[in-house]
Amino acid sequence: MRAVTWQGVNEVGVETVPDPTILNDHDVVLRVTRTTTCGSDLHLIGGYIPAMRTGDVIGHEFLGEVVEVGPGVRDRRVGDRVVVNSFVACGHCWYCRQELYSLCDNGNPDPGITEGLWGQSPGGCFGYSHAMGGFAGSHAEYVRVPYADVGTFVVPDEVSDDRALFASDAVSTGWMGADLAGTKPGDTVAVWGAGGVGQMAARAAMLLGAEQVHVIDRLPERLEQVRRHVGAEVIDYSTTDVMAELRERTGGRGPDVCIEAVGMEAHSTGVQGVYDQVKQQLRLQTDRPSAVREAILACRKGGSVFVLGVFAGPVDKFPLGAAMNKGLTLRGAQVHGQRYTPRILEHMARGELVTEHLATHVMPLEDAARGYRMFKDKEDGCVRAVFLPHG
């Protein structure tokens, strides 16, 4: 089959790889019909995530049709149209029973790397390096899905492929951030980043009852999407002082909830931005945390900060003093998608969550290198590139 593979730092290509097969009783094989780029893929391609090997199939956000079912699968049938959560979870361990699915004890068959990095290992993730399980990714014609009864969800007839695709990761990640940050009716929420995850975090906050939601970015096409399709307020950080703007909009107090949806390659202005980028390019640090810093400083006293963007290692100039002395609650997580997908699909079916606008560029799988270049460089207003493995 044809698949998109990592070919070295900043290089991807399309090549022929072996077809997936059923390896365990609870597997299914999926014919991939839609798969999309994600900002966290850029960290892989750029060489900032450890344990990538040449020829690894990438991609973790996808939708497809079940074509083969393992003997232990109870709830899926050949022909089912399903959306798949990006993290692999068994559904039975202590963490899964707490609905902390991305922390599954059994989802990562190679936990040693992340145990060394982080003290303990999270679950596995499709197409996200051997540190996260070494699973083949979704940018392919077919993909093996472990623990299919736990990680796949039948898409309602009322929900199109283009809408359901983003329930796989962007919407579930955004919803988790708004939920676990403690968003309540009447809250003011600020979201850093107007990509797919940031937009969906903002929309989730609104559906959870937030009174004001402000999304911060610098790209006009993304800010326009927020206005038109999400209905939140926007702040262009390239033209204003974000902290002063947020104080003015909140009566001097600051947001109740701040959600960082940018990750380790955050762009920022001024000397601090240059400092972070130089250190990252010289590999003196893996992560640029400017959006996290600003979220902590902007948040009201006693408020909540949630980190949705992917980070891999230690960060420089982290404002721990501000977090402690302001009494902030600081949380982060990879996505517990299985916890939120059923509710998300219901909102999609009722038209309360729309995502089609995120797919700004749709193309055949063979054009993946071009799609990733457009996505990385934000050419032609690219918010997400969606690949069609079967045309």
Side-chain angles (χ1 to χ4, degrees), residues 113-239:
I113 297 172
T114 46
E115 285 175 352
L117 283 171
W118 303 322
Q120 291 179 302
S121 176
C125 181
F126 290 99
Y128 215 76
S129 88
H130 294 267
M132 302 298 283
F135 294 100
S138 64
H139 292 349
E141 293 177 309
Y142 297 89
V143 64
R144 179 179 74 94
V145 179
Y147 303 115
D149 284 327
V150 181
T152 68
F153 295 84
V154 175
V155 178
D157 291 341
E158 305 93 320
V159 181
S160 69
D161 285 357
D162 292 331
R163 180 171 297 184
L165 168 62
F166 294 100
S168 173
D169 190 293
V171 185
S172 50
T173 300
W175 196 288
M176 179 191 70
D179 178 46
L180 296 188
T183 304
K184 304 182 300 298
D187 276 352
T188 294
V189 177
V191 180
W192 276 256
V197 171
Q199 290 190 37
M200 294 301 106
R203 184 61 186 153
M206 296 171 72
L207 290 170
L208 290 170
E211 185 175 321
Q212 295 183 49
V213 179
H214 308 278
V215 179
I216 301 146
D217 207 299
R218 65 187 170 93
L219 299 171
E221 61 275 7
R222 298 188 179 201
L223 295 174
E224 179 57 29
Q225 284 194 343
V226 172
R227 293 188 192 95
R228 180 176 301 178
H229 300 288
V230 178
E233 300 296 321
V234 301
I235 297 175
D236 181 348
Y237 71 79
S238 68
T239 64

Side-chain angles (χ1 to χ4, degrees), residues 60-72:
H60 60 265
E61 193 165 355
F62 60 108
L63 175 99
E65 177 189 348
V66 176
V67 295
E68 190 175 353
V69 178

Side-chain angles (χ1 to χ4, degrees), residues 246-310:
L246 286 171
R247 283 195 299 270
E248 182 176 339
R249 295 186 184 193
T250 58
R253 190 174 65 209
D256 303 292
V257 172
C258 292
I259 299 172
E260 190 277 349
V262 182
M264 66 168 66
E265 295 183 78
H267 174 273
S268 61
T269 57
V271 174
Q272 178 178 277
V274 175
Y275 169 85
D276 282 332
Q277 189 150 7
V278 168
K279 286 197 71 175
Q280 189 179 55
Q281 294 305 311
L282 292 175
R283 296 305 195 262
L284 298 175
Q285 66 176 9
T286 57
D287 304 26
R288 301 200 302 261
S290 55
V292 175
R293 291 191 197 114
E294 192 167 71
I296 289 172
L297 296 174
C299 193
R300 72 157 170 86
K301 292 178 288 186
S304 174
V305 176
F306 200 94
V307 181
L308 281 181
V310 170

Side-chain angles (χ1 to χ4, degrees), residues 24-184:
N24 300 302
D25 286 353
H26 298 283
D27 293 350
V28 300
V29 173
L30 211 67
R31 179 182 184 268
V32 180
T33 53
R34 299 280 193 287
T35 179
T36 182
T37 59
C38 175
S40 58
D41 292 329
L42 298 180
H43 313 326
L44 283 180
I45 295 169
Y48 300 116
I49 302 294
M52 286 296 290
R53 300 175 189 169
T54 300
D56 283 349
V57 180
I58 62 174
H60 60 265
E61 193 165 355
F62 60 108
L63 175 99
E65 177 189 348
V66 176
V67 295
E68 190 175 353
V69 178
V73 176
R74 303 182 309 276
D75 300 328
R76 297 294 169 262
R77 302 289 182 269
V78 170
D80 282 349
R81 182 174 65 121
V82 297
V83 63
V84 183
N85 294 135
S86 56
F87 265 74
V88 177
C90 72
H92 302 294
C93 71
W94 185 88
Y95 289 99
C96 287
R97 293 198 304 273
Q98 313 309 310
E99 297 190 302
L100 302 173
Y101 293 99
S102 71
L103 305 179
C104 175
D105 273 334
N106 300 310
N108 187 347
D110 188 13
I113 297 172
T114 46
E115 285 175 352
L117 283 171
W118 303 322
Q120 291 179 302
S121 176
C125 181
F126 290 99
Y128 215 76
S129 88
H130 294 267
M132 302 298 283
F135 294 100
S138 64
H139 292 349
E141 293 177 309
Y142 297 89
V143 64
R144 179 179 74 94
V145 179
Y147 303 115
D149 284 327
V150 181
T152 68
F153 295 84
V154 175
V155 178
D157 291 341
E158 305 93 320
V159 181
S160 69
D161 285 357
D162 292 331
R163 180 171 297 184
L165 168 62
F166 294 100
S168 173
D169 190 293
V171 185
S172 50
T173 300
W175 196 288
M176 179 191 70
D179 178 46
L180 296 188
T183 304
K184 304 182 300 298

